[in-house]
Amino acid sequence: MSVISGSRGVAIWVLALVALSINTAITIYNVLELIQNAEQVNHTNKVLLQVRAVLSDVKDAEMGQRGYLLTGDRNYLEPYDQGVVQIDSRIADLRNLIRDSPEQMVALDSIEPDIADKFSELAFSVRMGQLLGVEFGRLLVLSDLGRVRMQTIRDKISTMVERENNLLAERSALTNTKLRTTIWTTAIGGILTLAMTGFAFVSIRRELLYRRQTEEQLRFSTIELKHQMEERAVLQRQTAEFHTLLDNYYENTPIGLAFFDEELRIIRINHQLAEAHDGVTSSLVGNRLDEIADSFLKTAVSDLRHVIATREQVIDRLLHQPGIAGAEGRTWQASLFPILSPDRALLGVGMIAADISLRLRNERELRVSQGRFRSLAESMPQIVWVARSDGAVEYFNQRWSDYTGQTFEASIGSGWLAAVHPEDTERAQQCWGDSVHTGLPYEIEYRFRGRDDQYRWFLGRGLPQRNEEGRIANWFGTCTDMHERKTRAEALEELVQDRTRALTESNAALIDEIEVRCIAEKNERTAAEELRRSNQELEQFAYVASHDLQEPLRKIQAFGDRLAQKFTGQLGEQGGEYLDRITKSASRMRTLINDLLTFSRVATRMTPFEDVDLNLLVRDVQIDLEERLSQTQGRIECRTLPVIQADASQMRQLFLNLLANALKFARPGVPPIVTVQGKPFIETPVDGPERDMCQIDVSDNGIGFDPQYAERIFQIFQRLHGRNEYEGTGIGLAICRKIVERHAGRITAIGKPGEGATFRIELPSRGIAPGNSHVGFDGTVLPQDPAE
């Protein structure tokens, strides 16, 4: 009986040991699986962080580029420069992380060209901003050029993030499953161990005859049990460390995480969301969400119930958190998802929430900037267009629709060709196709049909924008109305052709064509020399003639005055009228000669430059104009003006002409008000050094003028009104322009009929003294005028 019992006991021990070994093997396998799955979860999180880092670099670069173009401040390019330096290493690190995922590798291969194109677009806009200035940079920033490409990058990266999030959810669910299995196997191992211990105790009492054998077996069992307990302690320690790692990950993740049960009770919440409630995690865990006072998460209660009821996810729900004590509120982007067991039983609901307040604020600011750009673009007098790299036009400003009458939808792509003159259509297509194919700059002259079915000539220009790889990303171009210039050029060309034909006919007897061309070239050089000499003689003639003509005019006026004083009664009424006309004509002639003399002296009588206080100078001119101001009841308002280096007498002549002109062209019945104001600025020419400049505006509330005559009014003897309406010779503004140009500056006129006029003068603050050469307005050295 004892033998049988001993054999049976050995069999039971063997079976128990086998079961314990199998259970131990299963436990070890599950722990190894937990460790491996934890590494995979960590790897997935690294991929997510790297994907977001790539997107962050692109957005930082774009933000730096826009900041620089809007402000012109080089400091704004720091994030842009950092993004350019980091983006390649970021993509390389991301590619190394996802090398075991073919699907993600394909997605990254799709995103990488878009990112390269985006950085090329940013680099081009920065270069254009550096070359063309802040105003052009703002135009580019306020355009909608980069939004589609940036949205494409965001969408593709969102797809990669969603794919990694799904993988993270699967691995987290697998971790939970393995964890529960480990707990069960550990418990079973403990039960088996206890059962074996109990069986050993019973066997000792029942098998006294086999004590020695039983003691040996018990000792053996004790040793095995000790080993198993040590192994279980190791496994428990490893499990505790793994739980600690998971807890640290849960608490340190930069997004909000929370888990709820079916009764909306908070099972767990990390510090990101807990701090948003001005509380700690322990104060929120265990409470029902719909019972927590002042919780912005209450707006998600209906979505939580929907997930519990349907087992469906709710993605990208916006939750608004009001601000406290006047502070700005926050906006969270939350996603809710069911947590299911392997048998599809609902264990709870998980929430992932990210604070997107800063992103939304940046998007609002970007929309405001884009609105400003569109306002600026739509106010441009030129037609502005943007085309893709394949040549399809994707943007026109409002100037296009205003002129052609075509809608935006009908014009994009190649629809704009419908407005091109039939004779120019084929040439326009060919020229544009060649530029798109070769990448060379686009330039063409063609005719567009307007709303009135009349065609006008336009000069079309386009420049390619290339990415870092040298590929064309898009085209940026303009169409400028050149109809008047083209018409004049065609008329001149016809005249030249007529004269060429006459010359050819007159020289028909010449046999040697080469000799004819040599003679023609020699004649041209001679004519150019004669023209230069003639211009010099004309300058001298204007100066000398103005003096020589003064004497006969003085005699005409003197004898006219004597005739009027002594013989008025004998001349009669008609004779007196004739004499009055003679006197007035002589007076106008004298005024004209004086103006011509002044015009000539601008070039021939320049004095050395000195410091000129424009405030004192305008005050002196105002004293000279007191009588006219009294007659018109007008006033001159002079604000602070700079001190510049200039010819004081010519500066006085400049302001006297401009102020007198403003008082003369006053609106009937409206007292004239003239405002003089100035400000300094720094000019940076493309091919020259920086210059300290000053801008002076002389504005009035007079009759104004049509903007199309803004250049004509500066030409000598050009008048927009008859002599009977307003006195003058038509030389005053020509003198002003010549004085400003002699000081290496420029003058422009801005006006509208009935709304007054503004004459804007831009002069170097330190002056450029006359000598053997002049420095032009753009900083280049110009040859001395022969008249000097």
Side-chain angles (χ1 to χ4, degrees):
M1 183 67 180
S2 299
V3 175
I4 295 175
S5 299
S7 299
R8 185 180 301 167
V10 171
I12 293 174
W13 273 100
V14 170
L15 290 175
L17 287 173
V18 170
L20 185 60
S21 299
I22 293 173
N23 181 74
T24 302
I26 293 173
T27 302
I28 294 173
Y29 173 78
N30 286 332
V31 171
L32 293 176
E33 285 290 309
L34 279 173
I35 295 173
Q36 181 179 3
N37 202 49
E39 293 175 351
Q40 292 176 343
V41 168
N42 185 45
H43 178 269
T44 302
N45 287 322
K46 287 182 179 178
V47 172
L48 286 172
L49 289 175
Q50 196 66 23
V51 169
R52 293 190 179 100
V54 170
L55 180 59
S56 177
D57 283 344
V58 177
K59 292 193 292 185
D60 289 347
E62 184 182 58
M63 186 179 300
Q65 169 253 5
R66 290 179 181 276
Y68 170 72
L69 293 180
L70 288 173
T71 63
D73 189 350
R74 180 70 189 181
N75 292 330
Y76 281 93
L77 285 180
E78 278 190 35
Y80 164 77
D81 295 334
Q82 187 174 2
V84 171
V85 172
Q86 291 182 351
I87 190 64
D88 290 336
S89 62
R90 294 275 196 202
I91 294 176
D93 293 342
L94 178 58
R95 187 178 295 279
N96 185 50
L97 287 172
I98 64 173
R99 62 182 182 274
D100 59 342
S101 175
E103 189 175 13
Q104 291 290 60
M105 289 290 286
V106 171
L108 180 59
D109 290 340
S110 173
I111 293 172
E112 192 169 2
D114 294 332
I115 293 176
D117 291 341
K118 182 62 182 179
F119 272 87
S120 296
E121 171 197 322
L122 297 178
F124 174 79
S125 63
V126 169
R127 288 196 300 273
M128 293 300 289
Q130 292 171 345
L131 291 176
L132 301 183
V134 173
E135 292 299 326
F136 188 83
R138 288 177 183 165
L139 175 63
L140 290 176
V141 168
L142 296 175
S143 69
D144 206 20
L145 303 182
R147 182 184 63 81
V148 174
R149 184 171 290 112
M150 192 64 192
Q151 188 60 43
T152 301
I153 294 172
R154 284 196 180 100
D155 292 341
K156 291 181 178 179
I157 287 182
S158 296
T159 302
M160 292 184 70
V161 170
E162 181 179 3
R163 198 174 288 131
E164 289 297 326
N165 283 333
N166 292 337
L167 184 59
L168 180 61
E170 293 174 3
R171 289 173 176 172
S172 297
L174 181 59
T175 299
N176 292 332
T177 301
K178 293 295 183 181
L179 185 59
R180 285 193 296 272
T181 303
T182 302
I183 293 172
W184 278 107
T185 55
T186 303
I188 292 172
I191 293 171
L192 284 174
T193 301
L194 291 174
M196 291 173 66
T197 304
F199 180 76
F201 178 75
V202 173
S203 297
I204 290 172
R205 294 187 63 185
R206 293 181 61 184
E207 302 293 338
L208 295 176
L209 297 176
Y210 301 99
R211 179 180 298 175
R212 192 171 186 176
Q213 297 178 1
T214 303
E215 287 178 354
E216 292 178 358
Q217 292 176 355
L218 181 59
R219 190 165 51 252
F220 177 76
S221 299
T222 303
I223 293 173
E224 288 295 323
L225 179 61
K226 183 179 180 181
H227 288 318
Q228 290 176 6
M229 293 297 291
E230 290 176 353
E231 291 176 355
R232 186 172 68 177
V234 171
L235 291 177
Q236 289 175 343
R237 186 170 61 254
Q238 291 176 344
T239 303
E241 291 175 353
F242 176 71
H243 279 291
T244 301
L245 178 63
L246 288 180
D247 289 340
N248 291 334
Y249 166 76
Y250 186 83
E251 290 300 327
N252 294 316
T253 184
I255 60 176
L257 297 175
F259 295 94
F260 307 88
D261 62 11
E262 295 185 69
E263 296 180 357
L264 304 183
R265 188 174 288 104
I266 299 176
I267 304 302
R268 191 164 185 181
I269 185 169
N270 70 347
H271 77 281
Q272 292 284 345
L273 284 182
E275 289 178 355
H277 287 80
D278 293 329
V280 295
T281 302
S282 59
S283 65
L284 297 174
V285 172
N287 296 318
R288 287 174 56 91
L289 180 60
D290 52 359
E291 295 177 353
I292 299 177
D294 300 328
S295 174
F296 72 92
L297 292 178
K298 280 186 175 181
T299 55
V301 168
S302 59
D303 292 326
L304 283 168
R305 288 173 175 160
H306 174 76
V307 173
I308 293 170
T310 63
R311 308 293 200 271
E312 295 178 351
Q313 296 180 350
V314 176
I315 304 298
D316 294 339
R317 183 73 72 203
L318 295 182
L319 307 178
H320 299 285
Q321 180 183 7
I324 300 175
E328 185 178 357
R330 301 164 70 184
T331 300
W332 296 78
Q333 186 178 34
S335 297
L336 302 106
F337 52 91
I339 302 175
L340 304 176
S341 65
D343 56 357
R344 305 298 294 173
L346 182 66
L347 301 177
V349 178
M351 171 185 283
I352 299 176
D355 186 354
I356 61 171
S357 305
L358 179 59
R359 190 187 77 192
L360 293 178
R361 197 157 50 243
N362 291 337
E363 289 176 352
R364 286 195 301 270
E365 293 175 357
L366 180 59
R367 285 194 294 270
V368 171
S369 298
Q370 289 175 344
R372 291 174 181 169
F373 161 73
R374 291 192 176 277
S375 298
L376 179 62
E378 298 305 333
S379 65
M380 291 182 63
Q382 293 175 301
I383 295 172
V384 180
W385 54 269
V386 178
R388 300 196 305 263
S389 59
D390 60 0
V393 178
E394 59 184 4
Y395 170 77
F396 278 108
N397 67 346
Q398 186 60 35
R399 170 67 175 142
W400 169 263
S401 298
D402 292 342
Y403 175 72
T404 64
Q406 285 189 346
T407 64
F408 175 76
E409 291 75 14
S411 303
I412 59 175
S414 59
W416 59 275
L417 287 169
V420 180
H421 195 286
E423 296 178 0
D424 301 335
T425 301
E426 183 178 353
R427 180 170 55 87
Q429 285 180 304
Q430 180 66 32
C431 183
W432 178 232
D434 291 343
S435 293
V436 172
H437 178 69
T438 62
L440 296 175
Y442 171 68
E443 182 170 339
I444 188 175
E445 296 177 0
Y446 43 19
R447 289 164 286 183
F448 284 139
R449 184 181 64 249
R451 288 176 177 270
D452 56 358
D453 291 332
Q454 299 296 318
Y455 287 93
R456 293 182 67 84
W457 282 98
F458 283 78
L459 174 62
R461 286 195 178 102
L463 291 175
Q465 179 185 1
R466 300 180 182 272
N467 56 25
E468 293 181 352
E469 298 177 357
R471 295 198 303 269
I472 295 177
N474 50 36
W475 292 78
F476 181 83
T478 59
C479 295
T480 305
D481 190 332
M482 55 167 294
H483 188 75
E484 284 75 13
R485 187 178 69 183
K486 181 71 173 180
T487 304
R488 289 195 299 267
E490 289 178 348
L492 181 61
E493 184 178 356
E494 290 179 1
L495 179 61
V496 172
Q497 289 177 354
D498 291 341
R499 292 184 178 180
T500 302
R501 283 194 296 269
L503 182 62
T504 302
E505 293 174 358
S506 65
N507 295 332
L510 297 177
I511 300 174
D512 191 353
E513 184 178 354
I514 298 176
E515 182 180 355
V516 170
R517 291 185 178 180
C518 292
I519 294 174
E521 290 176 359
K522 183 178 180 180
N523 291 338
E524 287 178 2
R525 287 193 296 271
T526 303
E529 180 63 24
E530 289 294 330
L531 180 60
R532 187 190 66 78
R533 240 186 345 262
S534 175
N535 287 336
Q536 185 175 3
E537 291 172 355
L538 283 174
E539 289 277 358
Q540 296 172 353
F541 170 78
Y543 178 74
V544 174
S546 60
H547 280 281
D548 294 344
L549 291 176
Q550 292 279 8
E551 183 60 29
L553 280 177
R554 280 195 293 270
K555 290 182 179 179
I556 291 173
Q557 286 185 315
F559 285 109
D561 291 340
R562 293 180 184 178
L563 192 63
Q565 292 174 1
K566 296 182 179 181
F567 302 100
T568 301
Q570 301 177 19
L571 292 175
E573 182 178 353
Q574 188 174 12
E577 182 180 352
Y578 289 161
L579 180 60
D580 183 59
R581 290 185 179 181
I582 292 172
T583 304
K584 288 181 178 179
S585 297
S587 178
R588 284 197 301 272
M589 185 65 179
R590 187 168 188 176
T591 301
L592 177 61
I593 291 172
N594 287 333
D595 288 346
L596 282 172
L597 182 59
T598 301
F599 186 78
S600 175
R601 283 174 175 171
V602 172
T604 59
R605 292 194 179 179
M606 290 190 70
T607 61
F609 281 11
E610 59 183 345
D611 289 340
V612 178
D613 188 339
L614 297 183
N615 298 285
L616 299 178
L617 188 144
V618 172
R619 242 180 251 128
D620 290 343
V621 172
Q622 188 172 356
I623 293 172
D624 293 345
L625 297 174
E626 280 184 350
E627 182 177 354
R628 184 171 296 182
L629 287 169
S630 176
Q631 293 173 355
T632 60
Q633 297 182 350
R635 70 176 186 270
I636 297 174
E637 299 177 353
C638 181
R639 298 169 188 172
T640 302
L641 297 176
V643 176
I644 65 172
Q645 288 185 340
D647 184 331
S649 62
Q650 290 193 353
M651 284 294 106
R652 192 177 190 284
Q653 181 70 44
L654 170 66
F655 281 96
L656 180 63
N657 285 7
L658 290 176
L659 294 175
N661 200 63
L663 297 175
K664 178 171 63 176
F665 292 102
R667 285 182 288 171
V670 178
I673 300 175
V674 186
T675 302
V676 184
Q677 56 187 347
K679 63 178 181 180
F681 68 96
I682 296 177
E683 181 184 59
T684 308
V686 176
D687 299 325
E690 290 186 351
R691 292 198 297 172
D692 292 330
M693 304 287 292
C694 65
Q695 174 185 309
I696 305 166
D697 290 346
V698 180
S699 305
D700 62 63
N701 63 340
I703 61 174
F705 60 89
D706 193 318
Q708 66 177 317
Y709 301 121
E711 278 298 314
R712 176 180 168 185
I713 61 177
F714 290 105
Q715 298 175 10
I716 192 169
F717 299 130
Q718 294 296 319
R719 299 171 54 90
L720 302 183
H721 306 277
R723 188 178 291 108
N724 294 330
E725 298 180 73
Y726 297 96
E727 62 181 5
T729 60
I731 302 178
L733 290 179
I735 294 173
C736 291
R737 168 166 281 186
K738 195 162 188 178
I739 289 173
V740 172
E741 289 177 349
R742 286 293 177 181
H743 284 73
R746 64 182 170 206
I747 181 171
T748 55
I750 306 166
K752 287 185 179 180
E755 298 184 11
T758 296
F759 289 87
R760 177 161 296 167
I761 308 163
E762 294 178 349
L763 294 170
S765 298
R766 290 189 288 271
I768 300 175
N772 294 330
S773 64
H774 295 302
V775 178
F777 196 76
D778 58 354
T780 57
V781 178
L782 305 176
Q784 168 107 9
D785 193 305
E788 299 181 14

